[in-house]
Amino acid sequence: MSAEPALLAPVSALAAPDRGRLAKLARNPSILVGGTVLLAMLLIGIFAPFLGTIDPAAINPSTRNKVPGFERTIRADDGTSTTFKHRMGTDSLGRDVYSRTLYGARVSLLIGVSVAAVSIAVGLLLGMIAGYVRPLDGIIMRFMDGLMAIPAILLAIAVVSLFRAGLGAVIVAIIVPEIPRVVRVVRSIVLSVREEPYVEAAIMAGTRVPTLMVRHILPNTVAPLIVQGTFICASAILVEAILSFLGIGIPPEVPTWGNIMAEGRNLFRIYPHNILYPGIFLCVAVLAVNMLGDGLRDTLDPKMGAR
Amino acid sequence: MAAYILRRLLATIPVLLIVAVLVFLMLRLTPGDPAAVIAGDNASTEQIDLIRSRLGLDQPILVQFGIWAGHLLGGNFGESFFFKKTVAELILGRIEPTLSLAFVTMVIAVSVAVPLGVLAAYKQGTWIDRMVMGFSVFGFSVPIFVVGYALIYVFAITLGWVPVQGYQSISAGFGGFLQRLILPAVSLSVIYIALIARMTRASVTEVLGEDYVRTARAKGQVERIILFRHALKNAAVPIVTVIGLGIALLLGGVVVTESVFAIPGLGRLTVDAVLARDYPTIQAVILLFSVIYVAINLGIDLAYSLFDPRIRY
């Protein structure tokens, strides 16, 4: 980026600030690749019913543990028969791994996005309070330090153990360890921004606190939080897969990548496909989100540095 | 200096206290009677009453916390009604595999990641740098169990070089110990390598721009010595910090790795305890891991002030 003539930059920035920034985003290869792959995953999740899948929860005792490529003949009542090809084989209950893997994209992306959104919202609120309301700073931050002293996966496991297994419990369990990280980022931004002349000017002009927070302080947190949110999304997808894989996440009948792999664990030596295919999807999805995050960080927030 | 060390020691007390409160509240947040929860599903009414009076659960909550914390300080982590043992016994019996796994992982991670990071910084912008950074993004994105199963498939099932799963104590022979531990340690080290290599590259890159590096080059110093003596030494503080912070990843990863490789350690114990709703055990493991994490990072902080003359408080 340093190759750009420095003198021209402010002029073009003045002319079309938003278009310039968008163009810069679109030029970044990480964003391009990550975004495209992620979009593809999203489309796979949304259109899973139309991509040659069958009911991902349908159990079929006659097609248990079939290798990828196995063809099943389905006879209809009127005597005609169709063949269905299990592209990725079947699991030990005869469920189609291809269908389960494609439907699994839904749960993973849903969890990634909702965890990112909620932890950012909660973290933003707590961080703004900690950064602006001095008496509460110590209390909130000590509490966050305590949460951060517990390794994230263990904290998630602890939260999960409190509830009955389910989507909601898993989402809450992944959110709790992420919140302190958001609070820290927001608090540090608020602390530095509140010393800025324009904020002091706004205070002098009698701007009320809510307006001050929303109009003058909040905009500074947007870029770092977009970046942070992307990384939270990636780690949420991973933690969900880990919890489900350990058998303490989402109920096993729900098709998620972690659940498919958990199901395939016992027969892994003979039928590795149950772990291979969802594993590939999981890696590609998380890699795409992380690439997107890296690209966004480099373009939006070059000061943030290594994670 | 002494004042700083004292202040730093005192600062960990509130953190550990909050962790203890959170872990304590864990049981109180579960719906229902904590005594019944601790006793498990098959307990009789008498057993539940016994637990209630023994743990002081009929007392006010602050008193309860006092009793509980007092027990902890005395090394009494309670009893596991599922495993029919005291939690302290359970943990002692499971700690060796976990410590071995964590230690071997750490050795692998540091000895691979630091040279990789230095190399990437030195060859910045070249394909070597891009490979290292690419690996780093990859390392953050592959779950431990996927790496673990891939390694098992290649090295244990296809090539047959190492056993598929299991653990052998170091006292039963170092060869067998290492043979069973190498795959889990490599799987667990991937994310840790990614983290350390990234920080090493960033930190060394910054130092390579310093005047004294230029001076060393000007006087004709060998590149290897410039990199590993002049640069790495001065870049060490952030690298060691991230190694300490990464212990959180390591301790969390232990849970997954031990499940994949059937290692009877604390991680496996945690998962079994969650499946059995064995809360005293879950509480104890979480407390233990948090204390280890906080203690190591405290040690690292204090080490800076002793070894790095630039850091003055």
Side-chain angles (χ1 to χ4, degrees):
Chain A
M1 292 302 140
S2 56
E4 270 179 349
L7 281 175
L8 287 177
V11 180
S12 62
L14 268 180
D18 281 324
R19 237 182 57 202
R21 190 180 271 187
L22 278 180
K24 214 167 154 193
L25 286 180
R27 271 205 308 273
N28 184 300
S30 286
I31 295 182
L32 222 54
V33 175
T36 312
V37 174
L38 199 61
L39 191 68
M41 281 282 172
L42 189 70
L43 293 176
I44 287 178
I46 293 173
F47 294 108
F50 309 106
L51 295 173
T53 57
I54 52 175
D55 179 4
I59 293 172
N60 187 343
S62 68
T63 56
R64 285 162 48 212
N65 294 322
K66 296 300 178 200
V67 292
F70 175 80
E71 287 185 0
R72 173 165 65 123
T73 314
I74 305 166
R75 278 186 180 63
D77 291 337
D78 55 0
T80 58
S81 67
T82 49
T83 54
F84 178 78
K85 190 174 174 187
H86 292 287
R87 290 182 182 80
M88 300 181 184
T90 60
D91 65 9
S92 64
L93 295 173
R95 295 175 294 198
D96 181 40
V97 174
Y98 172 74
S99 307
R100 289 179 74 70
T101 305
L102 258 53
Y103 276 93
R106 291 185 171 186
V107 182
S108 288
L109 294 177
L110 175 73
I111 286 188
V113 172
S114 52
V115 166
V118 179
S119 20
I120 295 267
V122 177
L124 182 64
L125 185 70
L126 287 175
M128 298 252 271
I129 295 175
Y132 203 82
V133 189
R134 304 307 300 166
L136 291 178
D137 186 24
I139 301 170
I140 293 179
M141 291 322 287
R142 291 298 81 70
F143 191 72
M144 293 300 142
D145 287 347
L147 277 181
M148 285 186 78
I150 305 175
I153 293 182
L154 281 169
L155 184 54
I157 289 176
V159 176
V160 147
S161 74
L162 299 179
F163 303 102
R164 255 173 226 299
L167 190 63
V170 169
I171 291 180
V172 173
I174 307 174
I175 288 172
V176 172
E178 297 291 353
I179 288 176
R181 286 158 244 274
V182 183
V183 173
R184 281 198 163 184
V185 170
V186 175
R187 173 180 173 270
S188 70
I189 293 170
V190 175
L191 283 181
S192 65
V193 168
R194 60 180 287 166
E195 307 297 329
E196 294 279 335
Y198 69 86
V199 172
E200 288 183 344
I203 296 172
M204 295 301 280
T207 314
R208 295 185 329 138
V209 173
T211 320
L212 183 77
M213 300 302 275
V214 173
R215 290 197 46 188
H216 299 287
I217 294 181
L218 189 68
N220 292 288
T221 65
V222 172
L225 285 184
I226 289 176
V227 176
Q228 181 100 355
T230 324
F231 289 131
I232 291 179
C233 176
S235 107
I237 294 175
L238 270 184
V239 176
E240 182 275 322
I242 287 173
L243 292 177
S244 297
F245 175 79
L246 292 173
I248 50 184
I250 295 186
E253 65 276 8
V254 180
T256 77
W257 294 331
N259 274 340
I260 307 169
M261 288 188 265
E263 211 282 326
R265 274 169 79 177
N266 291 332
L267 292 171
F268 171 71
R269 290 186 196 201
I270 324 164
Y271 303 111
H273 61 266
N274 276 347
I275 290 194
L276 176 71
Y277 293 113
I280 292 174
F281 270 72
L282 177 62
C283 294
V284 170
V286 179
L287 193 62
V289 183
N290 271 332
M291 284 179 76
L292 188 65
D294 274 352
L296 287 173
R297 185 187 55 209
D298 293 344
T299 29
L300 293 180
D301 199 10
K303 277 176 295 186
M304 244 169 90
R307 177 160 67 142
Chain B
M1 180 76 90
Y4 168 73
I5 293 176
L6 189 69
R7 211 167 55 230
R8 190 65 186 74
L9 277 172
L10 288 177
T12 59
I13 292 176
V15 173
L16 290 179
L17 196 68
I18 284 165
V19 172
V21 170
L22 287 172
V23 171
F24 170 78
L25 284 178
M26 221 182 106
L27 258 188
R28 273 58 184 181
L29 286 173
T30 51
D33 179 1
V37 174
I38 292 176
D41 291 337
N42 304 320
S44 65
T45 325
E46 294 82 56
Q47 279 175 314
I48 295 175
D49 287 340
L50 184 73
I51 290 170
R52 186 175 297 122
S53 60
R54 204 195 308 162
L55 297 180
L57 292 175
D58 35 14
Q59 311 275 334
I61 193 140
L62 271 177
V63 180
Q64 284 184 34
F65 179 71
I67 295 174
W68 182 77
H71 282 168
L72 283 187
L73 292 177
N76 176 5
F77 292 94
E79 262 170 66
S80 161
F81 288 78
F82 179 74
F83 294 100
K84 310 283 178 219
K85 274 183 179 175
T86 68
V87 174
E89 274 174 353
L90 261 182
I91 288 182
L92 275 180
R94 300 287 199 111
I95 206 161
E96 190 214 288
T98 303
L99 284 186
S100 317
L101 175 61
F103 181 74
V104 176
T105 306
M106 188 99 130
V107 171
I108 294 177
V110 173
S111 52
V112 171
V114 172
L116 271 187
V118 173
L119 191 67
Y122 182 60
K123 299 269 184 189
Q124 200 161 38
T126 65
W127 65 272
I128 296 178
D129 180 27
R130 277 197 291 277
M131 288 266 287
V132 173
M133 291 313 283
F135 174 80
S136 166
V137 181
F138 177 78
F140 278 117
S141 311
V142 270
I144 295 163
F145 55 90
V146 172
V147 182
Y149 277 112
L151 291 178
I152 290 179
Y153 191 75
V154 175
F155 293 102
I157 297 179
T158 312
L159 296 172
W161 289 355
V162 287
V164 173
Q165 285 174 323
Y167 176 77
Q168 183 182 316
S169 171
I170 194 164
S171 53
F174 186 72
F177 164 80
L178 203 64
Q179 209 183 19
R180 283 172 181 78
L181 213 53
I182 190 78
L183 288 192
V186 170
S187 330
L188 185 51
S189 67
V190 168
I191 187 168
Y192 210 24
I193 290 176
L195 184 76
I196 301 172
R198 199 179 255 228
M199 185 50 91
T200 306
R201 176 184 177 272
S203 185
V204 171
T205 304
E206 205 175 307
V207 171
L208 282 179
E210 296 282 345
D211 289 345
Y212 57 78
V213 171
R214 196 181 49 202
T215 310
R217 284 210 173 111
K219 76 172 186 184
Q221 184 58 275
V222 191
E223 280 295 314
R224 184 169 43 87
I225 294 180
I226 294 178
L227 274 181
F228 285 93
R229 194 173 299 161
H230 297 256
L232 189 58
K233 216 168 160 186
N234 285 292
V237 168
I239 300 173
V240 177
T241 305
V242 92
I243 291 176
L245 294 175
I247 296 219
L249 288 178
L250 193 67
L251 293 176
V254 155
V255 179
V256 186
T257 316
E258 290 184 357
S259 290
V260 171
F261 290 92
I263 298 171
L266 289 176
R268 188 65 227 161
L269 178 68
T270 316
V271 178
D272 290 342
V274 171
L275 290 173
R277 309 252 146 185
D278 184 9
Y279 289 100
T281 309
I282 305 174
Q283 287 178 310
V285 175
I286 289 174
L287 265 177
L288 181 70
F289 277 10
S290 307
V291 169
I292 292 176
Y293 177 54
V294 171
I296 290 179
N297 282 291
L298 173 71
I300 288 174
D301 266 17
L302 294 182
Y304 294 153
S305 59
L306 290 177
F307 296 119
D308 194 331
R310 290 171 303 181
I311 297 177
R312 286 268 168 266
Y313 300 93

